[in-house]
Amino acid sequence: MSQKDTLLVVIRQAPQSGLWLREALDAAMVGAAFGKTVSLLFMGQGVLALLPGQAQKPGVEKPLLPTRETLAMYDIQHLCVAAADLYALNVKADSLVEGITLLDEEQIRGCFADAANILNF
Amino acid sequence: MLLHIVNRAPQFGETASQALRAMGPEDQLVLIEDAVVAVLDQAWQGWALAPERIFVMEEDLQARGILALAAPQQRVDVNTFVKLSAKCQRTISWH
Amino acid sequence: MRYALLVMGAPYVSQAPYSALRFAHAVIGQGYDLESVFFYHEGVHNASSLVTPAQDAMCLRSAWKALHQQYGVNLDVCIAAALQRGLVDSAEAKRHRYSAYNVEPPFELTGLGQLIALQQRCDRLITFAP
């Protein structure tokens, strides 16, 4: 897989804010279906999407995040989060859904430097 | 080399600082729309971090009546904005 | 060099469409190809035939149409984002048995795959968001 085929999807908006999260994930899954190696990076208020057991809206049962299995089905394996933003929001890393890679600030810069394609939501 | 495009003022919200966090040593950054009011804040960390790699959209400064507050060498018009986007291989928009 | 634009802001409530149009004309003015403008998120509202601007405001829809007519720029609208926001073309209106539709050529409803393909095919994809 050449580097030209990488797609970084950045999720920064609060998870229940409009359709941002949903439409970012749609773009990620379509990118993966088109053969891109997709990474998801959660930054800012976007990190809150990684807390388990959330619903899209009060009273709407549908879960916020697709399950790991669904993401794996699309071959989306890399889910990363900005450690500094977790810290800023007082969210403990061990309270997140499983399988999330914590990135320090230098690694975050690396993510942006390496990605051939970026979609920032 | 990445061109970061920012459209929110650093004085309000974290968008502009997220862009700075993502910025590599050669990346360029252009402030457009509401982000141009960054020129009102000389203490903004961007100015100290990469003064020669940060640009401000002239038309948006003009529309907000603050054109004179931006240093002439930092102002770019839309044609220069396009040239910057052509020079940098990739762009990312922060909103 | 070939460009595409991604517009995610709605007309009259976000500056994104204005900035994108300004950028589009500068791209073309410098002799580059502008293949497509892709409308996603709130940007899909740019495609509505029923938006009626105030008398002193420029008509953004006409400006997009002119970009297509004069320079052959495609106006792609994400179908999923459009349907959720009440934007339908005649085919979708028929399928859902609606009495009206508000997306007409040169705006075309298309899938998100088109955005991924544009990003792959074009040298630059520039995003204008709210």
Side-chain angles (χ1 to χ4, degrees):
Chain A
M1 190 82 62
S2 80
Q3 211 198 336
K4 197 173 183 295
D5 289 328
T6 57
L7 171 63
L8 175 66
V9 175
V10 188
I11 293 169
R12 297 176 301 124
Q13 313 292 334
Q16 279 85 1
S17 163
L19 291 170
W20 280 116
L21 177 62
R22 165 76 187 278
E23 292 184 340
L25 290 169
D26 283 351
M29 290 194 267
V30 171
F34 274 65
K36 303 281 175 201
T37 302
V38 177
S39 301
L40 293 177
L41 170 63
F42 294 83
M43 277 182 90
Q45 292 187 70
V47 306
L48 296 172
L50 298 171
L51 289 168
Q54 295 187 73
Q56 284 178 355
K57 296 275 179 297
V60 177
E61 288 296 309
K62 199 166 178 216
L64 192 65
L65 268 188
T67 61
R68 287 294 297 182
E69 289 72 33
T70 309
L71 290 173
M73 212 168 74
Y74 283 90
D75 221 13
I76 300 177
Q77 316 276 5
H78 307 287
L79 274 75
C80 308
V81 63
D85 292 329
L86 285 182
Y87 183 77
L89 288 165
N90 282 320
V91 177
K92 301 246 186 313
D94 59 15
S95 63
L96 303 181
V97 296
E98 277 177 30
I100 310 296
T101 309
L102 263 68
L103 301 182
D104 64 25
E105 292 296 282
E106 200 183 322
Q107 290 169 314
I108 299 227
R109 276 192 296 282
C111 270
F112 289 97
D114 293 342
N117 301 288
I118 304 173
L119 290 173
N120 196 3
F121 290 95
Chain B
M1 199 200 308
L2 258 170
L3 175 64
H4 300 262
I5 302 164
V6 178
N7 75 349
R8 296 287 181 94
Q11 295 93 323
F12 308 100
E14 56 183 338
T15 302
S17 69
Q18 287 170 347
L20 291 182
R21 287 165 60 194
M23 213 173 157
E26 287 173 359
D27 290 357
Q28 320 260 314
L29 187 151
V30 58
L31 301 162
I32 69 167
E33 303 173 5
D34 286 342
V36 302
V37 304
V39 300
L40 296 173
D41 181 11
Q42 284 311 305
W44 178 47
Q45 51 172 332
W47 303 127
L49 198 77
E52 72 293 352
R53 290 184 285 125
I54 295 184
F55 304 97
V56 194
M57 193 70 183
E58 212 163 82
E59 292 90 334
D60 292 325
L61 284 164
Q62 183 101 53
R64 285 159 183 79
I66 51 175
L67 181 63
L69 295 178
Q73 68 272 19
Q74 282 181 323
R75 297 180 206 158
V76 290
D77 64 8
V78 68
N79 286 312
T80 313
F81 182 16
V82 169
K83 287 191 177 89
L84 278 173
S85 74
K87 188 178 81 172
C88 302
Q89 292 81 17
R90 300 169 297 140
T91 69
I92 175 168
S93 296
W94 300 87
H95 48 89
Chain C
M1 192 170 304
R2 206 189 303 188
Y3 276 79
L5 306 184
L6 167 60
V7 175
M8 298 205 283
Y12 310 108
V13 295
S14 154
Q15 201 189 314
Y18 295 94
S19 297
L21 264 168
R22 182 173 68 184
F23 194 89
H25 283 284
V27 164
I28 294 163
Q30 291 185 33
Y32 298 128
D33 279 344
L34 178 59
E35 180 173 330
S36 169
V37 179
F38 189 96
F39 298 94
Y40 192 38
H41 196 67
E42 303 297 332
V44 297
H45 289 293
N46 284 278
S48 171
S49 316
L50 301 178
V51 171
T52 312
Q55 270 186 358
D56 57 351
M58 85 183 260
C59 179
L60 278 162
R61 185 179 60 256
S62 309
W64 292 123
K65 257 173 108 164
L67 205 60
H68 170 82
Q69 284 160 354
Q70 289 169 23
Y71 307 107
V73 179
N74 294 328
L75 304 174
D76 295 320
V77 183
C78 172
I79 185 166
L83 289 178
Q84 283 210 64
R85 291 172 176 85
L87 287 127
V88 289
D89 63 7
S90 60
E92 290 299 319
K94 206 166 166 188
R95 186 209 311 264
H96 294 280
R97 300 182 184 194
Y98 294 151
S99 58
Y101 59 87
N102 56 352
V103 177
E104 296 169 273
F107 291 96
E108 299 283 350
L109 296 182
T110 180
L112 258 184
Q114 170 69 358
L115 173 63
I116 303 296
L118 280 171
Q119 197 170 30
Q120 171 100 23
R121 194 161 63 229
C122 295
D123 303 295
R124 299 288 182 276
L125 173 75
I126 318 287
T127 301
F128 293 93

